[in-house]
Amino acid sequence: MTRYGLSLLLLLLSSCVLAEVAVEGRIKFQHIENNELSDTNLSTNFARLLLKADLPLSNNSLFYLETIAAYDSSFAQGKYSFEHNEFDLHQGYLSVTSPNHAIKLGRQVWSVADQRLLGKREGTNVRRRFDGVMYQNNVLNQLQINAYHGYAVASKTGVFDDKYLSSERITGVYFSTAELLLHSMWYRDTTAENNESRHTIEAQYRKKLGRFSSTFHVAHQTGIVKSEHTKAWFAQFSGLYSFANLKFGPTLSYATGGEAGHEDGYFRSLYAKAPYYSEAGIFSTTNIKHIGAKLQAQLTDKFDISLDMRRLFRVNEQGDIFGPGRSLFIANEQLKGAKIADTYSLTTQYLYTKKISFELITSYINMSNRANLEKDQSFFVEAMLHFAY
């Protein structure tokens, strides 16, 4: 943000009445002991503080402002980090609404329905932002249409110096109802070193029959990377059966993966695709299939807990598999169908009041490492506090 833009922002804020302020605090600890999963064994601490404010301009318009201060302990070595940012403006956009329409214009974080945010990787400390426009239209209170277009923002560690990237743009549209989501996204990076264009279409269907609820999710991606054609697809099923205050059921997924130019490509982590193995960001959808189970329990009106257990397998003999943090994991055993890891994620949520809530997420990965006797476990703990007034 330039000094001129900052002056305009301060002038705008001084003329508005503050309506609501929300604070999000986050602390995360990541410990990896595996030379295949990371360049070196490491322990990393992350922290993030977001200050959010709604500034009404009229009865149907407001300016949303969000600042960020994010810390990454590995940044002390002087290397660039997606996880680190000194105090900075994170989001700032104008929102105008009517009974059936809404539009957001400015710097913003985007998500697709109830899926995870669009971003470079899973579970980032500093989330991906875009300078652009998001339009929403509610049709008959049953169908919602959303369209977005914008340019990626280059995050820098200085204050108010983030600029948009004219060479990296994204366009998308999705239709959603209570049961169905249809989404189409087009991503382009025209820089000479990347020369990348990808298109993704996906569908998600939810169905509830008595005590049993299920979700089906499929996605297909085609693209060109440095003149090489690539394609990939993904499918997932999850089901939950309810009894008393418990829900229990299976999860299954299958995703192709490979390198550009091969018959199968890979999903760019920019896209809002499933599965998200946990908020701690264990694995993204690349050359992985899994079988697992999920348990959810509503212990009280304010406290609930969930456990997600999965066994991951390799789909293709070759191809990248992206793991937690900055690391890129290539399994020691390159056999098709070989076991990669067992993953466990325990999530607890406590709603203290309607405006104060707390989340605690613990994730554990046990890698399949038969080639040597080195330690091959990874451990994540993440806590978040949400506060609004």
Side-chain angles (χ1 to χ4, degrees), residues 146-329:
N146 293 265
Y148 56 89
H149 174 77
Y151 299 87
V153 175
S155 295
K156 298 182 180 180
T157 56
V159 178
F160 300 127
D161 59 352
D162 301 340
K163 298 180 180 179
Y164 76 91
L165 302 172
S166 60
S167 61
E168 189 173 347
R169 56 193 185 276
I170 183 171
T171 304
V173 59
Y174 63 92
F175 307 85
S176 60
T177 67
E179 293 185 344
L180 181 65
L181 166 72
L182 299 175
H183 178 216
S184 176
M185 182 191 303
W186 185 28
Y187 166 75
R188 291 89 75 202
D189 185 348
T190 58
T191 56
E193 60 271 21
N194 294 329
N195 187 22
E196 180 176 346
S197 176
R198 295 180 187 267
H199 180 243
T200 298
I201 56 174
E202 65 174 332
Q204 181 176 287
Y205 179 69
R206 300 176 184 270
K207 188 64 177 179
K208 187 173 183 180
L209 296 173
R211 292 178 176 269
F212 186 75
S213 61
S214 59
T215 302
F216 302 87
H217 194 161
V218 294
H220 184 263
Q221 183 182 107
T222 58
I224 298 177
V225 182
K226 297 180 180 178
S227 301
E228 297 284 358
H229 290 271
T230 179
K231 64 179 180 179
W233 66 272
F234 159 79
Q236 177 173 259
F237 166 80
S238 62
L240 286 173
Y241 181 81
S242 303
F243 51 95
N245 294 326
L246 298 176
K247 294 181 180 180
F248 180 79
T251 62
L252 305 167
S253 74
Y254 187 97
T256 62
E259 299 175 354
H262 290 200
E263 180 180 355
D264 295 311
Y266 61 94
F267 283 91
R268 286 280 297 180
S269 56
L270 171 69
Y271 295 106
K273 63 201 180 312
Y276 303 108
Y277 285 101
S278 80
E279 286 289 327
I282 296 180
F283 283 93
S284 59
T285 310
T286 310
N287 197 14
I288 288 177
K289 58 184 177 181
H290 93 270
I291 182 171
K294 189 170 185 178
L295 173 66
Q296 296 179 347
Q298 186 75 38
L299 301 182
T300 69
D301 293 339
K302 295 184 176 182
F303 184 68
D304 62 81
I305 186 171
S306 65
L307 175 63
D308 196 333
M309 302 168 288
R310 304 192 179 209
R311 173 160 289 185
L312 278 58
F313 302 89
R314 170 177 283 275
V315 173
N316 298 324
E317 293 182 5
Q318 300 296 326
D320 297 340
I321 296 176
F322 290 88
R326 295 168 296 279
S327 56
L328 174 66
F329 169 66

Side-chain angles (χ1 to χ4, degrees), residues 109-112 115-119 121 127 270-272 276:
V109 172
W110 285 337
S111 60
V112 176
Q115 298 186 51
R116 284 286 300 276
L117 304 173
L118 301 185
R121 298 181 293 108
R127 291 163 175 167
L270 171 69
Y271 295 106
Y276 303 108

